Each structure stands twice: as structure tokens, then as C-alpha cells.
Amino acid sequence: MHQKIIPNLWFDTEAEEAATFYASVFANSRIVNVTHYTEAGPRPAGTVMTVTFELDGQRFVGINGGPQFTFDEAVSFEISCETQDEVDHYWQRLTDGGEEGQCGWLKDRYGLSWQVVPTGMEEVLNDPDPRRAQRAMHAMLGMRKLDIAALRGAADGAPPR
């Protein structure tokens, strides 16, 4: 399937390492292609220039462009998770060497930001009963890794666990 928009991720020198790591985290993932710098430069001939990879069918390109640019939270990738086990998997793998953030956000070991989001969260935060939605929002603001059962419990008025 042709993908019209392909995110390009700028790394200093870690594009291949990062692509390999990401492919180990997500099912149905692979390295598609690796290109290398030639004698024309600007980096030493033979070093990795770009890595094309797919994460669960989504194509990305990583480029080893140098230290001029780094990732920040202005751009993140959201992972929609069907179960709490799936949330736990992505959270554990992507925070390994990275850092936890608030409300399901994290930075991985390369500084790339991710949001690990359980399905059903939007429903509980947008509950037609404003008190339920407010309790769920308050609970979410106190979380790092999101816990959908705890969010639903908070919406129902259960004390925090």
C-alpha cells in the first residue's frame, strides 16, 4: 500500500539503531531499506544516511543528519492500545532508557515523544455527566502511565488506588 505522508525523523548518528529498536517494540515491523553516504559527503562514506522502516505497517524514514536538530514534545506519536497489557508493554519498552511524562506521555531513549493511550479513555474523559468527566480528568492528571480501570473507577467515584 502506498503511503502518501511518511514521517521523517532526524537523528545525529542513531537512525539505524533507533529503527531496529522500534521494530523490536512494535509487532508487524521491519527495516525496509538502508542507504549510506557516498564520497560526496557530507558525512564519511559508508556511514548510514537513511533508514526506511515500518512500525505495524506505518512507514517512517530516519536520517542521520547531524546534531543540529533534536526532538521535542511539539511532535509526538500516539499509540492506541486495546488493553492495559498493551499499554504496559509499550510503556515499559519505550521508557527503558527514556523518561516517563505525565498523562501517558513519555520520551524514549532517543528523545522522541510518545503518547501511550488506552482505548476508552476519550469516552470517560468526555462523559456526558460533567462530574464523572471531571473526576476522570483529575485522576488522569495524577498519572504517568495511564490505567483505564483506574480512570473508569475515578469517574465512578472510587477512591484512587
Side-chain angles (χ1 to χ4, degrees):
M1 177 176 108
H2 175 72
Q3 187 175 308
K4 192 169 199 80
I5 299 171
I6 300 172
N8 276 251
L9 306 174
W10 183 290
F11 295 88
D12 180 4
T13 60
E14 316 86 358
E16 187 172 30
E17 175 188 316
T20 301
F21 170 68
Y22 297 141
S24 77
V25 172
F26 293 88
N28 306 314
S29 300
R30 66 190 179 111
I31 304 296
V32 176
N33 188 45
V34 178
T35 64
H36 297 86
Y37 282 101
T38 66
E39 296 297 331
R43 294 197 135 182
T47 59
V48 172
M49 182 172 66
T50 64
V51 181
T52 302
F53 58 103
E54 291 178 356
L55 304 180
D56 202 14
Q58 168 74 45
R59 189 157 289 200
F60 293 83
V61 173
I63 183 169
N64 285 328
Q68 302 91 315
F69 304 111
T70 57
F71 299 121
D72 68 29
E73 292 84 355
V75 174
S76 65
F77 294 105
E78 181 177 318
I79 307 167
S80 180
C81 300
E82 294 295 323
T83 66
Q84 190 64 44
D85 285 343
E86 200 177 2
V87 169
D88 296 346
H89 164 78
Y90 290 118
W91 190 264
Q92 186 273 324
R93 292 294 312 275
L94 292 170
T95 58
D96 183 17
E99 62 186 71
E100 295 183 357
Q102 186 178 6
C103 304
W105 286 65
L106 64 88
K107 276 189 182 180
D108 68 28
R109 64 182 74 169
Y110 304 102
L112 189 59
S113 292
W114 299 84
Q115 298 175 59
V116 183
V117 180
T119 56
M121 187 178 89
E122 193 172 293
E123 166 191 313
V124 74
L125 293 176
N126 292 313
D127 193 287
D129 178 344
R131 291 173 299 180
R132 286 179 52 77
Q134 183 179 16
R135 288 190 300 262
M137 176 66 77
H138 181 70
M140 182 191 70
L141 291 173
M143 294 180 181
R144 290 193 174 276
K145 177 179 71 174
L146 296 176
D147 180 330
I148 192 62
L151 289 171
R152 286 187 176 125
D156 292 338
R161 345 184 209 163

